[in-house]
Amino acid sequence: LKRKNYGSVIRDCAKAASVNSAKPSTNVKVYYRAARAFYALGRFSEAKVALKHAIDADPENKLVKKLAEEVKSKLKEAKKRKLEKERHQIKLRGEDEIMRKECMKRNIKVGPLIMDIGNYTQETAGTGKFPHPKIASGALIWNVLLMYPEHSTSDYVQQWNEHVTFGEQLELMFPKTKNDAKESPNLVPEWDRHSLDYTMDNLAVFFEERYVRPLDMSKMWEKQYEKARDLEREKEDYTKKHRVRVKVDKSLLEALSDPEYVVPGVPVFYIVSTASPYWKIYQEQHSGRLRIL
């Protein structure tokens, strides 16, 4: 036990208990040592069983009784945590159902989360689940990922009301013109301070059609996450997918409800400046696959 080689202790005690089954006083020590090893490993149910044998052999043993109380307390805590986890899962299932129905009302299709957004939120791509939008005054409030492919960077916009237009949201993030950028450099993103290309009068917003396969919106989402992630590993012909340009006077809802858009866990949009040399490259990369919403 002192060396913390608990596995060996448990094996040795099991052998000793079978050999000394006719000697209760010896078994008390054996079962007590086994219980301490189980306790150290967090295997409290097995520690309880070992202590029961010890108590049967010596009901008045103070060390055994003390450890039994500690094990009882740990089992109580574990049961409480299990109940809390079950309640949390029930709550998440309820949220899933509410969001599924709200998205169906709006003709919004949702797919699994396949990208790691751990830099922005605690929820990641590991489960395929995604941050649920919230509801406020009947409107869905989304977290949205804005990607800037020219600069290999992104913004995670939280609390974007579905009725707010792209122009209204982006005005909070970018200067209106190059002159405004020069006069108020604090409005310019750090990655654009050299060129000042990303201003409201030059921004082009895009999304990719069918970024992921949609979940079956008529069924509970929870049972679909794992299968949906597996399907995303299959190869798909991306040459058949368009990049769709979203006019900045369009609302978030208008983009999300486009028949060809599938929310990949969180809404994703690409921002490119038409004033940048990269604009020509972007158009060539997606030649024949651009359309306007």
Side-chain angles (χ1 to χ4, degrees), residues 31-191:
Y31 288 127
Y32 176 69
R33 282 172 58 79
R36 284 182 61 191
F38 282 128
Y39 184 93
L41 293 171
R43 293 161 62 177
F44 304 118
S45 295
E46 291 162 289
K48 181 181 177 181
V49 172
L51 287 167
K52 183 180 183 304
H53 290 302
I55 291 170
D56 288 343
D58 185 359
E60 301 304 319
N61 190 298
K62 292 182 180 180
L63 289 175
V64 171
K65 291 169 72 174
K66 181 175 182 292
L67 184 58
E69 285 299 315
E70 293 177 11
V71 168
K72 182 179 178 181
S73 176
K74 290 293 184 181
L75 286 170
K76 187 176 179 180
E77 290 174 11
K79 184 177 180 180
K80 182 180 178 181
R81 286 195 299 271
K82 183 181 178 181
L83 288 172
E84 288 175 350
K85 183 179 179 180
E86 289 174 353
R87 291 193 194 101
H88 182 63
Q89 289 174 338
I90 291 170
K91 180 184 176 184
L92 289 179
R93 282 197 292 271
E95 290 177 353
D96 258 15
E97 276 298 276
I98 292 170
M99 287 305 110
R100 181 181 67 82
K101 292 174 181 177
E102 290 295 325
C103 287
M104 284 184 68
K105 287 180 190 176
R106 295 161 170 79
N107 295 317
I108 296 174
K109 294 181 285 297
V110 178
L113 177 67
I114 60 171
M115 62 188 73
D116 187 354
I117 57 173
N119 289 335
Y120 308 106
T121 176
Q122 292 181 348
E123 296 180 68
T124 68
T127 62
K129 297 181 180 181
F130 44 84
H132 289 106
K134 309 300 180 186
I135 300 179
S137 302
L140 289 183
I141 313 298
W142 294 83
N143 294 339
V144 179
L145 187 62
L146 299 180
M147 309 283 286
Y148 309 101
E150 178 181 3
H151 295 280
S152 301
T153 189
S154 60
D155 282 316
Y156 191 68
V157 180
Q158 300 186 56
Q159 300 188 352
W160 188 332
N161 187 302
E162 63 183 349
H163 300 303
V164 171
T165 68
F166 284 83
E168 290 168 336
Q169 177 60 48
L170 293 174
E171 280 181 353
L172 302 175
M173 305 168 64
F174 296 93
K176 291 184 178 181
T177 65
K178 204 162 198 172
N179 286 334
D180 290 337
K182 292 176 180 178
E183 292 174 4
S184 304
N186 59 306
L187 299 176
V188 181
E190 184 176 351
W191 42 264

Side-chain angles (χ1 to χ4, degrees), residues 192-255:
D192 188 44
R193 287 179 182 171
H194 176 69
S195 60
L196 303 180
D197 287 331
Y198 283 72
T199 57
M200 282 302 301
D201 53 351
N202 292 319
L203 295 184
V205 181
F206 292 87
F207 68 75
E208 184 178 302
E209 290 182 342
R210 303 183 302 281
Y211 190 96
V212 293
R213 293 174 176 84
L215 301 174
D216 185 339
M217 300 299 288
S218 67
K219 298 178 181 178
M220 289 183 66
W221 285 344
E222 184 186 28
K223 297 179 181 179
Q224 301 183 63
Y225 290 129
E226 186 172 346
K227 183 178 179 181
R229 283 203 327 275
D230 291 340
L231 285 174
E232 289 308 318
R233 296 189 183 101
E234 297 177 6
K235 291 184 179 180
E236 191 169 356
D237 187 358
Y238 287 92
T239 63
K240 295 180 180 179
K241 295 183 178 183
H242 287 81
R243 285 288 173 101
V244 182
R245 184 168 181 177
V246 183
K247 294 180 179 179
V248 293
D249 61 352
K250 296 286 186 181
S251 69
L252 178 61
L253 175 58
E254 288 177 287

